[in-house]
Amino acid sequence: MLNIQFSARYEKWDDYAEPLRKAFLENGLNVKLAQDLPPDEVDYIIYAPNGPVTDFTPYTKLKAVLNLWAGVEDVVGNETLTVPLCRMVDNGLSEGMTEWVTGHVLRHHLGMDTHIHGQDGVWRAGRVPPLARDRPIGILGLGALGQACGKALRMLNFPVSGWSRSEKNIHDITCHFGDDGLRAVLATSQTLVLLLPLTDATTHILNAETISLMPRGAVIINPGRGPLIDDDALLNALASGQISRATLDVFATEPLPPEHPYWAHPNVTVTPHIASETRVDTAAQVIADNVKRGENGEPFAHVVDRTAGY
Ligand code: NAP
């Protein structure tokens, strides 16, 4: 019998308990799943950074921590955590992100706001957007989510280039890495999508200097993490017209304070960290599969590189 503790706050126990039990059963795992097991008996923790566990020291039998979120910046530096930390890679999460990113890219590409907000009797004809093939898109971060979004945007015929830490070769996406690679992606991105994890190396990756490398009037879409962007630099770039519009889902402080200038900015859309969520049924399968791997002596999937920070 394996003891698995569920430690999360927003991810509701009532939503997760049955799908997890079902997934464990389907994988032939005999599991006691609960929210309040004696720490020294726990084999695995299903975890979200908002949950009650902050000190892993009492969990002396622990084999792995299975994160319910893709982002791990709130736990990766926890020195009491000495067992593998696995992040969430979930098809449901990727599909949700693809839909959100594609929707916001198309909104700006087609200039939809003109007509959605222009229901005032004025016939605004004659504004034809370029075809997608003539609107290059850049994606910073070519991981699970960046690749899924890149593929969907390619299917719509946008030229897509992307940037990652390691060298990559992805069909139909122009891949870059390293400092020169970042400059190359920025130079062509009329729309830039941020899907990097938050680490020391990615904090303020978009700043006054990097924003100045983008084509004038570019659009920024950030469903990654707030501190990827230097907010003052973005506000200045919006004021000068270097950046024409931004859709921001994530912020340095969440909830975004009501007095923050982003809320009132006519060219900024704020969404409340809803770009994509882990989906219960698919995530339960991912977690059960990872526990099974551990019990079979196989390497865990999606293990966080604690040195790289993601
Ligand atoms: P992932 O699979 O770990 O991919 C991360 C990508 O970023 C990889 O391509 C990685 O390069 C690249 N990267 C990391 N550090 C870099 C650096 N210093 N320079 C260049 N590239 C770097 O992560 P994911 O699952 O796609 O998720 C990405 C992020 O999305 C999460 O960390 C989270 O912050 C955010 N997210 C937001 C929401 C939301 O609702 N807003 C939901 C889920 C996730 P390599 O490929 O070379 O490793």
Side-chain angles (χ1 to χ4, degrees):
M1 164 86 77
L2 289 170
N3 288 323
I4 302 189
Q5 174 143 335
F6 185 86
S7 174
R9 184 151 51 93
Y10 301 150
E11 288 73 12
K12 294 186 199 76
W13 167 248
D14 290 348
D15 293 342
Y16 271 89
E18 277 323 302
L20 280 168
R21 288 198 177 104
K22 183 166 171 269
F24 290 134
L25 204 64
E26 285 169 0
N27 280 274
L29 295 162
N30 185 15
V31 165
K32 181 175 178 188
L33 178 70
Q35 290 179 284
D36 53 357
L37 294 163
D40 60 350
E41 293 178 14
V42 170
D43 295 288
Y44 295 90
I45 298 179
I46 298 170
Y47 179 87
N50 52 43
V53 176
T54 51
D55 180 5
F56 295 93
T57 317
Y59 294 86
T60 47
K61 264 184 74 187
L62 197 60
K63 298 173 186 169
V65 170
L66 309 169
N67 205 35
L68 285 169
W69 295 7
V72 293
E73 69 275 10
D74 292 330
V75 62
V76 74
N78 188 324
E79 287 178 0
T80 68
L81 176 55
T82 53
V83 296
L85 167 67
C86 305
R87 53 189 216 86
M88 179 52 65
V89 175
D90 158 40
N91 283 342
L93 184 65
S94 301
E95 283 175 40
M97 185 60 80
T98 302
E99 292 173 17
W100 187 91
V101 165
T102 309
H104 285 276
V105 165
L106 284 174
R107 168 195 168 197
H108 295 301
H109 168 63
L110 295 173
M112 286 174 156
D113 288 18
T114 304
H115 304 297
I116 289 172
H117 299 299
Q119 299 293 301
D120 52 3
V122 177
W123 189 255
R124 294 181 178 85
R127 300 178 187 201
V128 184
L131 289 172
R133 71 174 66 172
D134 296 321
R135 179 98 74 182
I137 296 189
I139 303 180
L140 302 189
L142 287 174
L145 301 179
Q147 286 194 37
C149 293
K151 285 175 186 163
L153 292 166
R154 271 305 296 137
M155 283 179 70
L156 291 169
N157 223 12
F158 290 100
V160 176
S161 60
W163 186 63
S164 54
R165 196 162 62 101
S166 57
E167 192 169 358
K168 288 205 187 312
N169 186 355
I170 304 169
H171 176 67
D172 238 6
I173 295 180
T174 307
C175 298
H176 298 273
F177 70 105
D179 290 347
D180 289 347
L182 177 60
R183 281 191 284 276
V185 173
L186 293 174
T188 58
S189 298
Q190 291 184 22
T191 302
L192 186 72
V193 180
L194 301 184
L195 276 168
L196 291 163
L198 183 62
T199 68
D200 289 348
T202 63
T203 300
H204 286 193
I205 194 84
L206 226 53
N207 52 44
E209 187 200 336
T210 50
I211 288 173
S212 75
L213 301 174
M214 297 179 66
R216 187 164 174 79
V219 169
I220 289 172
I221 296 181
N222 185 16
R225 283 292 182 260
L228 297 174
I229 298 180
D230 174 341
D231 290 328
D232 290 338
L234 177 55
L235 286 164
N236 287 338
L238 283 158
S240 73
Q242 169 63 10
I243 298 300
S244 62
R245 287 174 184 274
T247 296
L248 309 174
D249 184 57
V250 283
F251 304 91
T253 303
E254 294 182 8
L256 184 68
E259 64 278 9
H260 195 285
Y262 282 150
W263 281 114
H265 200 294
N267 294 344
V268 175
T269 298
V270 170
T271 62
H273 201 145
I274 43 82
S276 190
E277 269 191 25
T278 302
R279 302 294 162 137
V280 176
D281 289 329
T282 40
Q285 290 297 335
V286 172
I287 285 174
D289 177 65
N290 234 351
V291 172
K292 192 174 171 184
R293 282 167 179 264
E295 293 310 298
N296 287 344
E298 294 167 20
F300 291 109
H302 318 307
V303 177
V304 170
D305 174 344
R306 308 285 292 274
T307 318
Y310 69 99

